[in-house]
mmCIF file of all heavy atoms in Angstrom:
data_model
loop_
_atom_site.group_PDB
_atom_site.id
_atom_site.type_symbol
_atom_site.label_atom_id
_atom_site.label_comp_id
_atom_site.label_asym_id
_atom_site.label_seq_id
_atom_site.Cartn_x
_atom_site.Cartn_y
_atom_site.Cartn_z
ATOM 1 N N PRO A 273 11.688 51.354 4.449
ATOM 2 C CA PRO A 273 11.964 51.662 3.078
ATOM 3 C C PRO A 273 11.420 53.014 2.699
ATOM 4 O O PRO A 273 10.475 53.421 3.332
ATOM 5 C CB PRO A 273 11.464 50.517 2.319
ATOM 6 C CG PRO A 273 10.290 49.922 3.189
ATOM 7 C CD PRO A 273 10.799 50.232 4.590
ATOM 8 N N PRO A 274 11.866 53.607 1.633
ATOM 9 C CA PRO A 274 11.208 54.935 1.219
ATOM 10 C C PRO A 274 9.744 54.681 0.830
ATOM 11 O O PRO A 274 9.369 53.758 0.270
ATOM 12 C CB PRO A 274 12.024 55.321 -0.065
ATOM 13 C CG PRO A 274 13.337 54.499 0.111
ATOM 14 C CD PRO A 274 13.005 53.312 0.871
ATOM 15 N N LEU A 275 8.965 55.792 1.177
ATOM 16 C CA LEU A 275 7.456 55.731 0.967
ATOM 17 C C LEU A 275 7.252 55.457 -0.440
ATOM 18 O O LEU A 275 6.359 54.851 -0.888
ATOM 19 C CB LEU A 275 6.855 57.006 1.550
ATOM 20 C CG LEU A 275 6.808 57.149 3.007
ATOM 21 C CD1 LEU A 275 6.249 58.461 3.399
ATOM 22 C CD2 LEU A 275 6.021 56.094 3.672
ATOM 23 N N GLU A 276 8.057 56.136 -1.410
ATOM 24 C CA GLU A 276 7.907 55.998 -2.802
ATOM 25 C C GLU A 276 7.951 54.576 -3.298
ATOM 26 O O GLU A 276 7.189 54.149 -4.149
ATOM 27 C CB GLU A 276 8.911 56.870 -3.570
ATOM 28 C CG GLU A 276 8.737 58.362 -3.349
ATOM 29 C CD GLU A 276 9.283 58.910 -2.064
ATOM 30 O OE1 GLU A 276 9.900 58.107 -1.321
ATOM 31 O OE2 GLU A 276 9.068 60.056 -1.716
ATOM 32 N N ASP A 277 8.954 53.804 -2.672
ATOM 33 C CA ASP A 277 9.086 52.413 -3.097
ATOM 34 C C ASP A 277 7.910 51.631 -2.639
ATOM 35 O O ASP A 277 7.441 50.639 -3.373
ATOM 36 C CB ASP A 277 10.402 51.929 -2.485
ATOM 37 C CG ASP A 277 11.734 52.430 -3.094
ATOM 38 O OD1 ASP A 277 11.529 53.187 -4.065
ATOM 39 O OD2 ASP A 277 12.704 52.228 -2.521
ATOM 40 N N ARG A 278 7.442 51.922 -1.446
ATOM 41 C CA ARG A 278 6.251 51.057 -0.960
ATOM 42 C C ARG A 278 5.041 51.387 -1.740
ATOM 43 O O ARG A 278 4.310 50.443 -2.140
ATOM 44 C CB ARG A 278 6.092 51.457 0.514
ATOM 45 C CG ARG A 278 7.110 50.976 1.415
ATOM 46 C CD ARG A 278 7.041 51.637 2.899
ATOM 47 N NE ARG A 278 5.828 51.120 3.585
ATOM 48 C CZ ARG A 278 5.477 51.460 4.812
ATOM 49 N NH1 ARG A 278 6.265 52.304 5.437
ATOM 50 N NH2 ARG A 278 4.459 50.956 5.354
ATOM 51 N N ILE A 279 4.876 52.659 -2.145
ATOM 52 C CA ILE A 279 3.709 53.006 -2.972
ATOM 53 C C ILE A 279 3.821 52.350 -4.331
ATOM 54 O O ILE A 279 2.854 51.721 -4.884
ATOM 55 C CB ILE A 279 3.522 54.538 -3.112
ATOM 56 C CG1 ILE A 279 3.260 55.169 -1.707
ATOM 57 C CG2 ILE A 279 2.513 54.891 -4.137
ATOM 58 C CD1 ILE A 279 3.358 56.671 -1.810
ATOM 59 N N ALA A 280 4.960 52.402 -4.919
ATOM 60 C CA ALA A 280 5.245 51.821 -6.281
ATOM 61 C C ALA A 280 4.943 50.265 -6.291
ATOM 62 O O ALA A 280 4.321 49.682 -7.185
ATOM 63 C CB ALA A 280 6.724 52.123 -6.666
ATOM 64 N N ARG A 281 5.379 49.583 -5.173
ATOM 65 C CA ARG A 281 5.143 48.183 -5.146
ATOM 66 C C ARG A 281 3.678 47.845 -5.012
ATOM 67 O O ARG A 281 3.173 46.860 -5.606
ATOM 68 C CB ARG A 281 5.841 47.585 -3.867
ATOM 69 C CG ARG A 281 7.376 47.434 -4.060
ATOM 70 C CD ARG A 281 7.975 46.550 -3.011
ATOM 71 N NE ARG A 281 9.422 46.448 -3.111
ATOM 72 C CZ ARG A 281 10.120 45.447 -2.619
ATOM 73 N NH1 ARG A 281 9.458 44.439 -2.004
ATOM 74 N NH2 ARG A 281 11.444 45.397 -2.840
ATOM 75 N N LEU A 282 2.954 48.641 -4.295
ATOM 76 C CA LEU A 282 1.492 48.429 -4.113
ATOM 77 C C LEU A 282 0.707 48.642 -5.446
ATOM 78 O O LEU A 282 -0.125 47.865 -5.806
ATOM 79 C CB LEU A 282 0.878 49.313 -3.040
ATOM 80 C CG LEU A 282 1.229 48.955 -1.597
ATOM 81 C CD1 LEU A 282 0.891 50.073 -0.639
ATOM 82 C CD2 LEU A 282 0.527 47.611 -1.195
ATOM 83 N N HIS A 283 1.121 49.726 -6.185
ATOM 84 C CA HIS A 283 0.489 49.927 -7.460
ATOM 85 C C HIS A 283 0.830 48.757 -8.473
ATOM 86 O O HIS A 283 0.041 48.318 -9.147
ATOM 87 C CB HIS A 283 0.942 51.253 -8.061
ATOM 88 C CG HIS A 283 0.317 52.408 -7.336
ATOM 89 N ND1 HIS A 283 -0.975 52.511 -7.058
ATOM 90 C CD2 HIS A 283 0.941 53.577 -6.984
ATOM 91 C CE1 HIS A 283 -1.174 53.761 -6.409
ATOM 92 N NE2 HIS A 283 -0.030 54.383 -6.488
ATOM 93 N N LYS A 284 2.145 48.362 -8.412
ATOM 94 C CA LYS A 284 2.510 47.362 -9.353
ATOM 95 C C LYS A 284 1.840 45.971 -9.106
ATOM 96 O O LYS A 284 1.557 45.317 -10.116
ATOM 97 C CB LYS A 284 4.116 47.200 -9.182
ATOM 98 C CG LYS A 284 4.714 46.035 -10.129
ATOM 99 C CD LYS A 284 6.191 45.910 -9.873
ATOM 100 C CE LYS A 284 6.757 44.900 -10.774
ATOM 101 N NZ LYS A 284 8.329 44.700 -10.546
ATOM 102 N N ASN A 285 1.660 45.669 -7.898
ATOM 103 C CA ASN A 285 1.033 44.376 -7.534
ATOM 104 C C ASN A 285 -0.411 44.394 -7.295
ATOM 105 O O ASN A 285 -1.043 43.474 -6.715
ATOM 106 C CB ASN A 285 1.820 43.727 -6.254
ATOM 107 C CG ASN A 285 3.200 43.478 -6.652
ATOM 108 O OD1 ASN A 285 3.511 42.811 -7.563
ATOM 109 N ND2 ASN A 285 4.085 43.947 -5.831
ATOM 110 N N ALA A 286 -1.114 45.594 -7.624
ATOM 111 C CA ALA A 286 -2.462 45.725 -7.263
ATOM 112 C C ALA A 286 -3.366 44.582 -7.760
ATOM 113 O O ALA A 286 -4.265 44.109 -7.042
ATOM 114 C CB ALA A 286 -3.013 47.041 -7.900
#
Side-chain angles (χ1 to χ4, degrees):
L275 292 175
E276 292 78 9
D277 290 354
R278 295 170 66 181
I279 294 170
R281 285 196 181 203
L282 287 167
H283 286 319
K284 179 180 179 181
N285 297 307

